[in-house]
Amino acid sequence: MALTNNKAVLSWVDEMAAMTQPDEIVWIDGSEAQLADLRRQSLAAGEIIALNPEKLPGCYLHRTAVNDVARVEHRTFICSRRQEDSGPTNNWMEPAEMYAKLRVLYTGAMKGRTMYVIPFSMTVPESPFAKFGIELTDSIYVVLNMAIMTRIGTRVIKCLDAAKDPADFTKGLHAKAAIDEENRYIVQFPEDNTIWSINSGYGGNVLLGKKCFALRIASYLGRTEGWMAEHMLILGIENPNGEVRYLAAAFPSACGKTNLAMLIPPDVYRKKGYKVWCVGDDIAWLRIGPDGRLWAVNPEAGFFGVAPGTNMKSNPNALLSTKKNTIFTNVVHNLEDNTVWWEGLDKNPPQNALNWKGEKWNSADGSKGAHPNSRFTAPAAQCPCISDKFEAPEGVPISAIIFGGRRAKTAPLVYQSRDWQHGVFVGSIMASETTAAASGAVGVVRRDPMAMLPFCGYHMGDYFRHWLDMGKKIPNPPKIFNVNWFRTDDEGHFIWPGYGDNLRVLDWIMGRAFGEAEAVTSPIGYLPRAEDISLEELDDVSPATLAGLLSVDKALWKEEAAGIHEFYAKFGDKLPGELKDELAKLEKNLG
Ligand code: OXD
Ligand code: MN
């Protein structure tokens, strides 16, 4: 039975059902009873496997199709009405043409299946920051994941119905169809507040609240409405005075974002009373608060984290978050005790196990048991260091924004931008070097402005402009920094220990944000001196090594400037003049 009389919702659901032709329509009310029933159906269909109820209560394993294991950027489109609004970094097709093409694929796609109607809210529905959406899907796996990653059901639809404009919701349509790679499309229509996803069953392509809505559509809405949707973690650092200061940080993938979001302070800091609180691990929505500061909420309710490499040393808080009520996707099924395993969990791969494809797996043959992009979907509330402000409707005030990437030589451990405009420049030139873990050449610099390259729902040049404009509107803006945990020595070893010791750098950053820490000027911005970053009880790094990590090699930065020119050329007339000025200033400073 429909959960609402909302005409805009009902007529759209009818229209989509007429096209996809499901046998049945089920409204998701979000109740535990309904979710339990769906789990039973999914188990009976073999779509999920129940794991050991003592060791992993409420946990399930799911395997996607072998051809459907990751986000597909080459099949992701931003279909704005005008191509120039989608820009050079997005795929584009004229919306009418795309709708027509997809209608053919959706027609009858749900025959013999059930269509689930999931009302969802990004951030708590009662928050003034909340945005509502409805996802239609023929996948119970999607329903169960959305129930972890977002707030769903009756509570949400009530808020939408009571909103100023009950027709203001994001229309998400997902059909598994035949999981056909050749006809897989992940399409955003920003001006229509609409997302159509077809022929995939993998998380990032089908949990429409995440990348599709909370970043691509939301970035577009944010620009129109004067706020920002960013690919950022949010964390709070509690200092020995009990004061909690918050920062947001954007990194491209494979740079340790989830680890930083749940950092465990080094012993020396812990003993002094420092604590780190996680507000979010992937997405931040940022708005100017009544006090003139920038406030952030995490629009999501769960973590959709990469499993391989997660262990009790690298990220105990993430691992502990997955011990109950978690859905594992494409990991190893340990048949010895009906649990899960992945590369990097520990050094004891199970002997009696199935790999991510469900095949008998022999760890000794050198093959991977878990897919490198295998995931856990875990409720954020289960994280041992979740912030008590995680669900605060107003969010948390952000004192520092951090950009970063993986650079073997060029970027120092940390530097601070001179001001907001320079900070936008620093974000716009963000780059990361490819690692041996990915296919293709190693050490190739990939520009990924603000880590938003695959997630910006409009022209990246306009996005830079929006950042610059926001800076003018925030009376008390956060300070902007860049970090690089990944400098290597001549043998290619990382010099900085990373992980918990990154707090030493965050501590300096917060000191700067609050006018308590020293810095010196350099051609690229403000730098700490070696003595400004505490090395207490850190025997592996000498002050001389730290000074090296903070050095700026002018020759390398001149090469960098040439690379930035090349990258900026893509944006033509849409590149804001302020960023050209910043690049010119950098070149002048380098002499
Ligand atoms: C993610 C991503 O899955 O950024 O969070 O790709
Ligand atoms: Mn992400």
Side-chain angles (χ1 to χ4, degrees):
M1 217 186 57
L3 292 174
T4 177
N5 297 319
N6 185 323
K7 284 204 182 62
V9 172
L10 293 178
S11 67
W12 170 69
V13 172
D14 282 351
E15 193 193 329
M16 295 301 106
M19 176 169 68
T20 55
Q21 301 164 31
D23 284 11
E24 210 190 331
I25 298 179
V26 171
W27 287 70
I28 299 299
D29 61 21
S31 68
E32 186 42 43
Q34 188 187 40
L35 292 173
D37 188 47
L38 289 172
R39 282 184 208 111
R40 272 192 293 274
Q41 289 181 40
S42 191
L43 283 165
E47 192 187 39
I48 57 173
I49 296 164
L51 296 167
N52 186 320
E54 268 90 50
K55 293 189 175 173
L56 293 169
C59 293
Y60 298 87
L61 169 64
H62 171 78
R63 299 189 191 105
T64 63
V66 173
N67 74 6
D68 187 27
V69 292
R71 287 189 292 101
V72 280
E73 285 170 21
H74 64 294
R75 308 209 61 97
T76 300
F77 287 74
I78 303 294
C79 292
S80 28
R81 280 180 210 129
R82 301 184 314 173
Q83 182 165 15
E84 72 220 63
D85 292 333
S86 168
T89 57
N90 286 313
N91 299 311
W92 179 83
M93 197 186 283
E94 203 272 312
E97 193 184 335
M98 181 60 96
Y99 278 125
K101 187 182 179 69
L102 295 184
R103 263 191 213 110
V104 174
L105 300 177
Y106 279 111
T107 298
M110 295 194 191
K111 263 189 196 152
R113 300 180 183 179
T114 299
M115 173 193 270
Y116 299 95
V117 183
I118 319 171
F120 68 93
S121 161
M122 301 314 293
T123 187
V124 284
E126 298 79 14
S127 162
F129 287 9
K131 292 276 177 198
F132 305 115
I134 299 198
E135 176 164 359
L136 307 177
T137 179
D138 55 1
S139 161
I140 298 182
Y141 169 76
V142 168
V143 177
L144 298 177
N145 275 271
M146 286 292 284
I148 297 173
M149 294 304 297
T150 69
R151 285 85 182 175
I152 59 164
T154 310
R155 170 187 177 201
V156 172
I157 197 89
K158 275 196 177 143
C159 288
L160 171 62
D161 290 350
K164 210 160 61 205
D165 180 4
D168 182 14
F169 65 96
T170 299
K171 302 174 190 71
L173 173 65
H174 165 244
K176 286 185 289 189
I179 315 281
D180 170 10
E181 264 176 296
E182 301 302 312
N183 280 308
R184 186 167 296 154
Y185 287 93
I186 318 301
V187 183
Q188 285 71 203
F189 301 92
E191 290 116 338
D192 301 342
N193 206 353
T194 293
I195 305 160
W196 280 13
S197 161
I198 190 159
N199 276 305
S200 174
Y202 167 78
N205 299 328
V206 299
L207 307 180
L208 301 185
K210 194 173 181 62
K211 305 299 189 182
C212 302
F213 177 22
L215 286 175
R216 297 194 190 101
I217 295 283
S219 61
Y220 170 84
L221 295 176
R223 177 180 175 229
T224 319
E225 297 169 4
W227 55 281
M228 304 160 94
E230 298 297 332
H231 191 198
M232 291 178 176
L233 64 88
I234 310 164
L235 66 79
I237 301 174
E238 182 172 336
N239 64 25
N241 304 327
E243 181 194 1
V244 187
R245 297 166 167 183
Y246 297 91
L247 60 82
F251 301 102
S253 61
C255 291
K257 197 147 139 242
T258 306
N259 293 344
L260 189 69
M262 300 171 199
L263 174 153
I264 305 260
D267 281 345
V268 57
Y269 274 76
R270 218 166 29 205
K271 279 185 247 154
K272 286 182 186 163
Y274 280 85
K275 293 189 184 109
V276 169
W277 300 108
C278 173
V279 182
D281 74 325
D282 196 39
I283 299 177
W285 284 2
L286 303 158
R287 286 177 203 251
I288 305 168
D291 62 355
R293 290 187 290 176
L294 195 60
W295 288 69
V297 294
N298 170 9
E300 300 190 280
F303 306 132
F304 184 63
V306 175
T310 306
N311 59 52
M312 276 312 276
K313 209 163 161 257
S314 66
N315 195 339
N317 286 321
L319 191 61
L320 294 169
S321 306
T322 67
K323 291 298 176 193
K324 56 184 182 184
N325 309 320
T326 293
I327 300 171
F328 297 95
T329 301
N330 291 343
V331 297
V332 173
H333 190 189
N334 180 352
L335 298 175
E336 288 160 27
D337 61 355
N338 191 24
T339 58
V340 289
W341 191 86
W342 49 77
E343 278 70 20
L345 175 65
D346 56 37
K347 296 208 163 66
N348 311 306
Q351 296 309 303
N352 181 14
L354 302 179
N355 68 12
W356 67 274
K357 297 179 197 166
E359 303 158 343
K360 189 85 187 100
W361 179 56
N362 176 3
S363 64
D365 71 9
S367 66
K368 289 237 188 295
H371 188 276
N373 191 34
S374 54
R375 300 277 174 152
F376 52 79
T377 316
Q382 291 181 184
C383 180
C385 67
I386 196 72
S387 162
D388 62 357
K389 293 282 193 291
F390 164 59
E391 296 209 300
E394 71 284 6
V396 295
I398 298 296
S399 302
I401 287 177
I402 302 179
F403 296 120
R406 183 182 281 274
R407 303 302 298 268
K409 301 284 173 222
T410 317
L413 180 61
V414 59
Y415 67 100
Q416 181 186 356
S417 65
R418 288 180 293 269
D419 51 33
W420 182 274
Q421 177 175 306
H422 180 224
V424 176
F425 172 74
V426 169
S428 77
I429 64 166
M430 251 175 76
S432 216
E433 282 149 16
T434 50
T435 65
S439 57
V442 174
V444 175
V445 174
R446 245 189 225 139
R447 301 265 161 215
D448 184 355
M450 284 83 168
M452 283 290 277
L453 195 64
F455 306 120
C456 187
Y458 58 101
H459 194 299
M460 191 60 90
D462 292 332
Y463 170 80
F464 296 150
R465 164 59 53 212
H466 181 47
W467 263 85
L468 292 164
D469 290 347
M470 284 296 291
K472 294 187 196 112
K473 291 186 204 148
I474 313 170
N476 189 4
K479 303 285 189 285
I480 301 179
F481 300 80
N482 193 84
V483 300
N484 174 26
W485 316 131
F486 301 99
R487 269 221 194 170
T488 53
D489 61 20
D490 292 339
E491 276 93 55
H493 301 125
F494 293 123
I495 305 172
W496 179 249
Y499 296 101
D501 288 309
N502 292 336
L503 184 59
R504 298 169 190 273
V505 176
L506 301 187
D507 200 22
W508 178 77
I509 286 175
M510 278 306 176
R512 289 295 295 167
F514 284 82
E516 298 159 357
E518 297 293 319
V520 290
T521 52
S522 85
I524 63 168
Y526 298 117
L527 284 167
R529 300 159 305 175
E531 61 265 39
D532 295 320
I533 292 184
S534 165
L535 295 178
E536 200 180 351
E537 293 185 22
L538 183 61
D539 299 337
D540 301 352
V541 182
S542 68
T545 306
L546 180 55
L549 282 167
L550 294 169
S551 63
V552 173
D553 181 327
K554 283 194 183 177
L556 282 178
W557 274 92
K558 282 183 186 165
E559 276 175 40
E560 184 74 3
I564 299 167
H565 271 291
E566 206 178 302
F567 179 64
Y568 271 2
K570 269 189 186 196
F571 304 109
D573 293 351
K574 293 254 193 184
L575 184 77
E578 293 93 322
L579 297 185
K580 283 186 216 157
D581 293 348
E582 289 296 334
L583 179 52
K585 218 182 285 176
L586 172 67
E587 288 178 308
K588 184 162 161 276
N589 290 348
L590 292 168

